[in-house]
């Protein structure tokens, strides 16, 4: 036991935060990898005119992630965040390899790949729910925005990594190119598994299970001030005590009880809007978007995803710099307004100037990506990680993740169908209107969480629930 204790004490806070957020690499790689693989897959399996099938192959991961997020949220409340992240890494490794070795059986090949990518999505959805919850429970309140933003940096780094891999493999024979692109996703999953083996469990989960000694030990790795450790333990214990005294048994209906409804609606709503705003239409289909705008082959446009990936990584670093300097709501509203205009203006310009340069839309998409990268992209997961009370955090985070993936799945599925039947400018204008609706939602329904402890945020929700209960007409 002493040897194990000494080994655990050597775990640095940097190691914990790095591998605690590394699950975002899996999320990001799989978002990005199909961008480059799809043109080769279409050519290899002759799917150029099969918009619905292409949509399903692309969006199958997101469909599986809808259920993976909800399932992981429930299981993590029972088994812990760490164990479920390990399980997600294993599932991701297995189905990444199976994607890369898809048999060539004509049309049946497409259905095989769709099923395998749905199962892979279980792991992607689990990671998207577990990583924010784990990071928020490990990070101190004053640095939670910045440290939780590591998740977004990992996501966009995974996307950029997949874009670079796609570009490097593009000159291989078509069949080998897309197979390697998909199969190499197993490598970051293996790295995640090996890193998480050494991670400690969340102190809040440990306290909830009654292991105060281990919770204190974990906090000692990531909090330098003993008084801060005592204060945080006391705060978490008080919240847990109130829950036990109420003898509360959480269920799905609990999420929408008066006490929690306000915070659940806010967190789930932000998670849903992030995807319905259309960002993944760009990330999944940018080579095809450029092809439709310019007439150049999609397989020759794989530099554009790298440009988008670089913008995303820079934006994530900008966010980490400004994360705890500006209110969450302010960043979301400013970002959403610019994103909406970036989608709507090309349609307006094209209406006024029918001979508009077709690359104008790509320039506006870059502006959209830039503002998305340091506002809605990271802040969604920061809010999901910090806005839900301890008693419902696993379920609520899973629900938010599922709604996020529902939006991602629908965007991935219907975008190629929409662009096959209407001008691209009109499609993006629809997403622009959704961006503006997201701004209105944040202004009216989302509380400010910057600088508040998780327990203070819960108290805000409790008080709001009491006000709503006493004034139902409000």
């Amino acid at each position: 036991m002493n040897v194990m204790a000494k080994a655990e004490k050597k775990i640095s806070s940097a190691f914990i935060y790095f591998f605690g957020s590394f699950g975002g690499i899996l999320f990001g790689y799989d978002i990005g990898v199909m961008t480059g693989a799809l043109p080769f897959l279409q050519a290899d399996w002759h799917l150029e005119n099969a918009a619905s099938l292409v949509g399903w192959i692309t969006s199958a991961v997101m469909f599986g992630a809808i259920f993976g997020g909800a399932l992981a949220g429930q299981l993590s409340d029972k088994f812990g965040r760490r164990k479920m992240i390990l399980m997600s890494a294993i599932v991701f490794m297995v189905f990444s390899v199976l994607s890369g070795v898809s048999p060539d059986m004509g049309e049946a090949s497409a259905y095989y790949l769709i099923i395998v990518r749905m199962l892979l999505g279980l792991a992607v959805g689990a990671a998207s729910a577990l990583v924010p919850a784990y990071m928020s429970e490990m990070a101190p309140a004053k640095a939670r925005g910045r440290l939780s933003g590591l998740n977004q940096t990992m996501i966009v780094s995974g996307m950029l990594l997949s874009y670079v891999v796609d570009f490097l493999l593009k000159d291989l024979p078509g069949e080998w190119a897309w197979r390697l692109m998909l199969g190499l996703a197993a490598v970051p999953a293996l790295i995640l598994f090996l890193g998480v083996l050494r991670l400690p469990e969340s102190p809040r989960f440990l306290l909830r299970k009654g292991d105060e000694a281990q919770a204190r030990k974990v906090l000692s790795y990531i909090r330098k001030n003993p008084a801060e450790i005592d204060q945080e333990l006391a705060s978490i214990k008080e919240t847990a005590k109130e829950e036990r005294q109420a003898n509360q048994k959480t269920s799905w209906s609990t999420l929408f009880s008066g006490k929690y409804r306000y915070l659940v609606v806010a967190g789930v709503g932000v998670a849903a809007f992030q995807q319905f705003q259309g960002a993944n239409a760009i990330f999944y289909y940018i080579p095809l978007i450029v092809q439709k705008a310019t007439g150049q082959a999609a397989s020759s446009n794989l530099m554009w995803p790298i440009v988008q990936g670089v913008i995303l990584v820079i934006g994530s670093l900008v966010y980490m710099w400004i994360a705890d300097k500006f209110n969450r709501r302010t960043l979301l509203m400013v970002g959403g307004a610019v994103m909406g205009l970036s989608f709507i203006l090309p349609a307006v310009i094209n209406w006024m100037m029918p001979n508009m340069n077709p690359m104008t839309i790509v320039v506006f998409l870059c502006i959209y990506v830039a503002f998305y990268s340091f506002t809605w992209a990271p802040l969604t997961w920061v809010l999901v990680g910090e806005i839900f009370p301890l008693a419902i955090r696993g379920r609520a985070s899973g629900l938010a993740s599922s709604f996020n993936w529902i939006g991602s799945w629908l965007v991935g599925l219907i975008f190629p169908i929409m662009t096959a039947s209407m001008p691209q400018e009109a499609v993006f204008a629809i997403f622009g209107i959704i961006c503006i609706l997201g701004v209105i939602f944040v202004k009216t329904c989302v509380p400010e969480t910057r600088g508040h402890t998780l327990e203070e945020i819960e108290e805000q929700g409790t008080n709001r629930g009491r006000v709503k209960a006493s004034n139902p007409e409000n």
Side-chain angles (χ1 to χ4, degrees):
M1 291 295 293
N2 290 336
V3 174
M4 290 183 65
K6 288 181 180 179
E8 286 189 353
K9 287 182 179 178
K10 293 180 181 178
I11 303 175
S12 68
S13 59
F15 183 94
I16 291 172
Y17 293 137
F18 179 81
F19 278 102
S21 61
F22 194 84
I25 290 280
L26 309 188
F27 185 178
Y29 189 96
D30 212 85
I31 286 176
V33 69
M34 189 53 75
T35 302
L38 192 58
F40 298 99
L41 180 61
Q42 282 182 298
D44 189 28
W45 286 357
H46 309 292
L47 301 175
E48 291 87 348
N49 298 316
S52 297
L53 209 53
V54 168
W56 269 107
I57 291 173
T58 303
S59 64
V61 165
M62 291 80 84
F63 185 79
I66 296 169
F67 305 99
L71 183 62
Q74 293 185 69
L75 293 178
S76 70
D77 281 344
K78 183 175 182 180
F79 299 108
R81 321 306 188 209
R82 174 183 172 274
K83 288 182 180 178
M84 292 310 302
I85 293 174
L86 283 171
M87 183 59 65
S88 299
I90 294 172
V91 173
F92 198 98
M93 278 188 283
V94 170
F95 289 103
S96 293
V97 172
L98 290 178
S99 296
V101 297
S102 299
D104 194 347
M105 305 178 296
E107 187 172 313
S109 301
Y111 295 108
Y112 166 90
L113 187 56
I114 289 169
I115 293 171
V116 168
R117 283 177 56 77
M118 282 183 183
L119 295 172
L120 174 62
L122 294 174
V124 176
S128 72
L130 295 169
V131 171
Y134 182 84
M135 289 297 290
S136 69
E137 294 179 359
M138 301 297 280
K142 62 183 180 181
R144 195 170 56 240
R146 185 171 67 256
L147 289 174
S148 295
L150 275 176
N151 180 46
Q152 177 61 22
T153 300
M154 290 294 187
I155 291 172
V156 296
S157 296
M159 292 172 68
L160 180 57
L161 174 64
S162 70
Y163 296 151
V164 171
V165 169
D166 289 350
F167 185 80
L168 293 176
L169 297 178
K170 68 182 177 63
D171 293 325
L172 291 176
E175 181 179 0
W176 281 102
W178 69 262
R179 290 183 183 280
L180 279 174
M181 291 172 186
L182 298 183
L184 285 174
V187 175
L190 176 61
I191 295 172
L192 173 66
F193 179 83
L194 296 175
V196 174
L197 282 176
R198 291 194 63 212
L199 286 187
E201 184 52 85
S202 154
R204 283 175 172 79
F205 175 81
L206 291 169
L207 265 181
R208 190 177 181 185
K209 295 301 181 183
D211 194 347
E212 181 177 345
Q214 187 63 22
R216 179 181 293 275
K217 190 173 188 178
V218 172
L219 281 174
S220 72
Y221 301 153
I222 51 181
R223 307 285 190 270
K224 295 181 180 180
N225 188 340
E228 183 183 0
I229 294 174
D230 292 338
Q231 182 179 2
E232 189 163 348
L233 282 172
S235 181
I236 299 170
K237 287 167 65 177
E238 181 61 28
T239 301
K241 180 180 177 182
E242 291 175 0
E243 291 165 3
R244 286 195 299 269
Q245 287 176 343
N247 195 28
Q248 186 177 47
K249 294 183 179 180
T250 61
S251 63
W252 287 110
S253 61
T254 305
L255 301 186
F256 296 97
S257 66
K259 180 178 179 180
Y260 299 123
R261 185 187 304 117
Y262 170 58
L263 296 177
V264 171
V265 168
V268 172
V270 168
F273 266 110
Q274 186 208 42
Q275 289 302 325
F276 282 109
Q277 289 168 339
N280 279 349
I282 303 173
F283 303 146
Y284 297 139
Y285 297 112
I286 185 64
L288 300 180
I289 292 170
V290 177
Q291 173 180 282
K292 189 162 186 176
T294 65
Q296 299 174 356
S299 58
S300 66
N301 288 314
L302 295 189
M303 183 57 72
W304 276 105
I306 295 179
V307 172
Q308 305 285 354
V310 170
I311 293 173
L312 285 168
V313 171
I314 293 173
S316 74
L317 297 177
V318 169
Y319 170 75
M320 292 180 69
W321 177 51
I322 67 173
D324 296 305
K325 298 178 181 179
F326 296 93
N327 286 344
R328 317 279 198 241
R329 281 161 44 90
T330 300
L331 289 174
L332 286 172
M333 288 189 287
V334 170
V338 175
M339 288 155 52
L341 290 174
S342 298
F343 274 159
I344 293 170
L345 285 177
V348 174
I349 295 172
N350 188 59
W351 175 67
M352 297 176 65
M353 302 171 57
N355 295 323
M356 176 185 77
N357 187 320
M359 287 302 290
T360 301
I361 190 171
V362 180
V363 173
F364 275 102
L365 292 185
C366 289
I367 296 172
Y368 173 98
V369 170
F371 276 82
Y372 175 81
S373 68
F374 66 86
T375 58
W376 280 83
L379 278 168
T380 295
W381 301 111
V382 172
L383 278 168
V384 166
E386 68 187 5
I387 202 171
F388 300 128
L390 177 62
I392 61 168
R393 186 165 299 136
R395 285 180 184 272
S397 295
L399 183 65
S401 175
S402 293
F403 268 83
N404 186 269
W405 284 110
I406 288 171
S408 182
W409 167 59
L410 287 174
V411 169
L413 177 63
I414 68 175
F415 181 79
I417 300 172
M418 293 174 70
T419 55
S421 59
M422 67 177 74
Q424 285 191 141
E425 294 83 0
V427 176
F428 285 120
I430 293 171
F431 289 133
I433 293 171
I434 296 174
C435 290
I436 301 303
L437 293 176
V439 172
I440 297 171
F441 176 81
V442 170
K443 183 173 178 60
T444 57
C445 299
V446 178
E448 184 53 56
T449 58
R450 180 172 72 101
H452 297 286
T453 66
L454 300 182
E455 286 66 40
E456 288 170 348
I457 296 169
E458 177 171 351
E459 184 63 23
Q460 288 185 56
T462 301
N463 292 339
R464 179 69 173 255
R466 289 170 182 160
V467 170
K468 288 288 186 181
S470 61
N471 300 283
E473 69 276 7
N474 296 333

